Amino acid sequence: MLVFVGLGLDPGDLNLKAIHYMKIADEVILDTYTSILPKDYYEFLEKLVVGKKITYARRGDLEGGEARRIAEEARNKNIIILTPGDPFIATVHDAIRVEALARGVEVVVVNNVSILTKAIAKCGLQSYKFGKMVTLVYPDVSKPYSVINVIYDNLSRNLHTLLLLDLRLEENRLMKIPEAIDLLIDMDYEGKLRDKISVAIARLGFREEFVVADRFVNLKKYTYPDPPHSLIITSTLHPIELENLYYICGLPAEELRRVKER
Amino acid sequence: MLVFVGLGLDPGDLNLKAIHYMKIADEVILDTYTSILPKDYYEFLEKLVVGKKITYARRGDLEGGEARRIAEEARNKNIIILTPGDPFIATVHDAIRVEALARGVEVVVVNNVSILTKAIAKCGLQSYKFGKMVTLVYPDVSKPYSVINVIYDNLSRNLHTLLLLDLRLEENRLMKIPEAIDLLIDMDYEGKLRDKISVAIARLGFREEFVVADRFVNLKKYTYPDPPHSLIITSTLHPIELENLYYICGLPAEELRRVKER
């Protein structure tokens, strides 16, 4: 069988199903390219699967011919793929799953928390008030105006936007919150973003996790630990959301007042 | 401290942090009103916290004066609130969290998978293609046209809609998929829903879990286990999403062909 295991964001997120499947695995593949986990999590995993073959997969290792080879091998042994967050919230592992399913190989999925749910729950915003989420990528070819349009579109429907920032681990280019803010303000052709209450999220699940809420443009002033970074741009806030941002994410009191007075 | 622990949807979803906090808890409150978990999960939890005071909380038990009393008591002992899914994907526990935070009580949140992420990951759809999610409630006063408008609005943006169905545990009114389909077709004033490829999800995480994809109107024909039930109404499908619906959710081959030919 082929087992996809979501690791969540920190070692405490590991669940009982994950531990069971790691125990019965013949071969372990660790996805090291879709995101980064805390260092002690990797050490913990290595202890849990001691004595088994571990492959550290990089981009491309679970696609194309390799995906077919692994799906083929999973006919005769238990192969487990460990992945940060949830295995299927991003789309990277869809291809290998389809290869396995098409061969009639048993596929097991162990879900876990992802940045998507953890970021929303962390800062006390309401999940049904989120619109489409989007990833802000480096503007290699052209400026990513589509991202601005998703944010505008969500704002026009009174919906918050979760914005994941580019994470190119192999090129060692990991987008930081201040870069993202510059990029977005430069593209903000209707000037809607500057004063929006927003949340900056750095290294969620790590010991050095840092989450702060402030006016969008003010989020540049803080000092953040290393990426992964993400941003939430809020729309109209419910009073309880506002209180959560104040108590949990250190929204400055003057911003709390400013929003309440409107 | 006050600890909110998400239980996920089945006993295997329980994670290491949850087990740790259950061990150090002085008092355990089990939320029995926001959703239902498999029976063996409750038995397993009772074994894990054996010897501690367990309160089975019903609607209202974690609000108003009770919320203030619990927040007050959490100054001097470790109170743990166990809740199906993730504690903060729904908004029911926000009030008690704010009460605790306002008193300076340490608040710990242990996130877990919720129906939101598990439903999306389960059927192989892509999370960034989802728009606002919505709950379909029984039309006690007037027909919930706002739900249709959310679906239409998502469709116009090429986004899928996750639709949770009403779950009134105390009144024993748990909306079933066929009821929901009748209700939605009756309100579908632009006739957009009938032929949309949709996914019916029943008792996700339970042993009797049943997930099936078909044309919206055809989903009435299947026999489902008891609620909780939910629905996904898809917009334009990526070829890999379509293959996933075929392999994982039993989308009939003629529907696969029909969509591919368009």
Side-chain angles (χ1 to χ4, degrees):
Chain A
M1 64 171 112
L2 186 58
V3 186
F4 294 90
V5 168
L7 297 170
L9 303 185
D10 74 66
D13 285 334
L14 203 69
N15 68 32
L16 300 178
K17 262 182 291 190
I19 293 169
H20 165 74
Y21 286 110
M22 285 163 79
K23 213 177 284 179
I24 65 163
D26 297 304
E27 204 183 314
V28 179
I29 299 172
L30 182 58
D31 155 5
T32 64
Y33 61 96
T34 53
S35 194
I36 317 167
L37 293 170
K39 195 160 164 284
D40 57 350
Y41 201 163
Y42 292 112
E43 291 161 3
F44 178 50
L45 289 174
E46 281 159 10
K47 270 178 213 149
L48 280 173
V49 297
V50 76
K52 304 186 196 239
K53 182 187 165 198
I54 310 185
T55 308
Y56 296 85
R58 310 190 67 192
R59 194 169 300 277
D61 289 353
L62 300 175
E63 289 161 28
E66 276 307 286
R68 285 190 288 276
R69 191 191 55 79
I70 294 164
E72 201 58 47
E73 280 185 23
R75 285 177 189 272
N76 308 309
K77 54 184 173 181
N78 298 331
I79 301 184
I80 185 167
I81 299 178
L82 306 176
T83 163
D86 183 275
F88 291 103
I89 282 300
T91 56
V92 282
H93 299 306
D94 271 324
I96 189 166
R97 176 162 68 172
V98 166
E99 290 293 345
L101 290 168
R103 281 170 176 77
V105 170
E106 189 187 354
V107 170
V108 176
V109 177
V110 179
N111 294 110
N112 210 321
V113 291
S114 69
I115 177 84
L116 167 62
T117 40
K118 204 149 169 171
I120 296 175
K122 174 75 200 182
C123 52
L125 296 172
Q126 302 179 346
S127 56
Y128 66 88
K129 289 185 65 182
F130 276 77
K132 181 177 160 65
M133 68 171 187
V134 68
T135 299
L136 178 63
V137 296
Y138 281 110
D140 289 337
V141 184
S142 58
K143 288 186 189 172
Y145 276 100
S146 60
V147 172
I148 284 288
N149 290 328
V150 169
I151 299 170
Y152 284 0
D153 198 29
N154 284 337
L155 285 174
S156 75
R157 301 164 73 199
N158 262 323
L159 298 173
H160 310 322
T161 307
L162 172 64
L163 202 72
L164 306 178
L165 305 190
D166 208 352
L167 208 61
R168 302 190 188 178
L169 293 171
E170 253 116 79
E171 303 168 32
N172 204 20
R173 287 181 80 192
L174 297 83
M175 195 186 284
K176 292 179 178 157
I177 288 157
E179 286 180 83
I181 292 174
D182 283 341
L183 204 57
L184 289 165
I185 292 226
D186 178 49
M187 294 189 293
D188 181 18
Y189 56 93
E190 293 185 6
K192 287 184 176 165
L193 262 54
R194 289 191 74 80
D195 293 329
K196 280 275 170 297
I197 298 293
S198 301
V199 188
I201 298 158
R203 278 179 110 68
L204 196 61
F206 289 71
R207 250 179 259 277
E208 59 273 27
E209 170 183 304
F210 180 62
V211 178
V212 63
D214 205 332
R215 212 185 281 221
F216 184 72
V217 73
N218 291 350
L219 287 174
K220 265 193 76 172
K221 298 183 308 188
Y222 296 85
T223 306
Y224 298 98
D226 287 340
H229 285 182
S230 38
L231 282 166
I232 293 173
I233 292 147
T234 72
S235 175
T236 314
L237 291 159
H238 183 279
I240 260 202
E241 291 184 310
L242 202 54
E243 283 197 83
N244 281 334
L245 293 183
Y246 173 71
Y247 285 118
I248 305 172
C249 310
L251 179 71
E254 69 265 25
E255 291 299 326
L256 183 72
R257 269 196 308 274
R258 183 178 71 91
V259 178
K260 274 190 174 168
E261 278 163 10
R262 274 194 312 217
Chain B
M1 63 171 111
L2 185 59
V3 187
F4 294 90
V5 167
L7 298 171
L9 304 186
D10 74 67
D13 285 333
L14 203 70
N15 68 32
L16 300 176
K17 263 182 291 190
I19 293 168
H20 166 73
Y21 286 110
M22 284 163 81
K23 214 178 282 176
I24 65 163
D26 297 305
E27 204 184 313
V28 179
I29 299 172
L30 183 59
D31 156 4
T32 63
Y33 61 97
T34 54
S35 193
I36 317 166
L37 293 169
K39 194 160 164 286
D40 57 350
Y41 202 163
Y42 292 112
E43 291 161 3
F44 178 51
L45 290 174
E46 281 160 9
K47 270 179 211 148
L48 279 173
V49 297
V50 76
K52 303 186 197 241
K53 182 187 165 196
I54 310 184
T55 308
Y56 296 85
R58 311 190 67 192
R59 193 169 301 276
D61 289 353
L62 301 175
E63 290 161 27
E66 276 307 285
R68 286 191 288 277
R69 189 191 56 77
I70 295 164
E72 201 57 47
E73 280 186 23
R75 285 177 187 273
N76 308 310
K77 53 184 174 182
N78 298 332
I79 301 184
I80 185 168
I81 298 178
L82 306 176
T83 163
D86 183 275
F88 291 104
I89 283 300
T91 55
V92 282
H93 299 306
D94 271 323
I96 190 166
R97 176 161 69 172
V98 167
E99 291 292 345
L101 290 168
R103 281 171 176 75
V105 170
E106 188 186 352
V107 170
V108 175
V109 177
V110 179
N111 294 112
N112 210 321
V113 291
S114 68
I115 178 84
L116 166 64
T117 40
K118 203 148 169 172
I120 295 175
K122 173 75 200 182
C123 52
L125 296 171
Q126 301 179 347
S127 56
Y128 66 87
K129 289 185 65 183
F130 276 78
K132 179 176 163 63
M133 69 170 186
V134 69
T135 300
L136 178 62
V137 295
Y138 281 109
D140 288 337
V141 184
S142 58
K143 287 185 189 173
Y145 276 101
S146 60
V147 172
I148 283 287
N149 289 328
V150 169
I151 299 169
Y152 284 0
D153 202 26
N154 284 336
L155 285 174
S156 74
R157 291 170 163 81
N158 262 324
L159 299 172
H160 311 321
T161 307
L162 172 63
L163 201 72
L164 306 178
L165 306 190
D166 208 352
L167 208 61
R168 302 191 187 176
L169 293 172
E170 253 116 78
E171 304 168 31
N172 204 20
R173 286 180 80 192
L174 297 82
M175 196 186 284
K176 291 179 179 157
I177 288 158
E179 287 180 81
I181 292 174
D182 283 339
L183 205 56
L184 289 165
I185 292 224
D186 178 49
M187 295 188 291
D188 181 19
Y189 58 92
E190 292 185 7
K192 286 183 176 165
L193 261 54
R194 289 192 72 80
D195 293 328
K196 280 276 169 298
I197 297 292
S198 301
V199 188
I201 298 158
R203 278 179 108 69
L204 196 63
F206 288 70
R207 249 180 259 279
E208 59 272 26
E209 171 182 304
F210 180 62
V211 178
V212 62
D214 204 331
R215 211 186 282 219
F216 185 71
V217 72
N218 291 349
L219 287 174
K220 264 193 77 171
K221 297 184 308 189
Y222 297 85
T223 306
Y224 299 98
D226 286 339
H229 286 182
S230 39
L231 282 165
I232 293 172
I233 292 147
T234 72
S235 174
T236 314
L237 291 159
H238 183 278
I240 261 202
E241 291 184 310
L242 203 53
E243 283 196 83
N244 281 334
L245 292 184
Y246 174 71
Y247 285 119
I248 304 172
C249 309
L251 179 71
E254 69 265 27
E255 292 297 326
L256 183 72
R257 268 197 309 275
R258 182 177 71 92
V259 177
K260 273 190 174 166
E261 277 163 10
R262 273 193 313 217

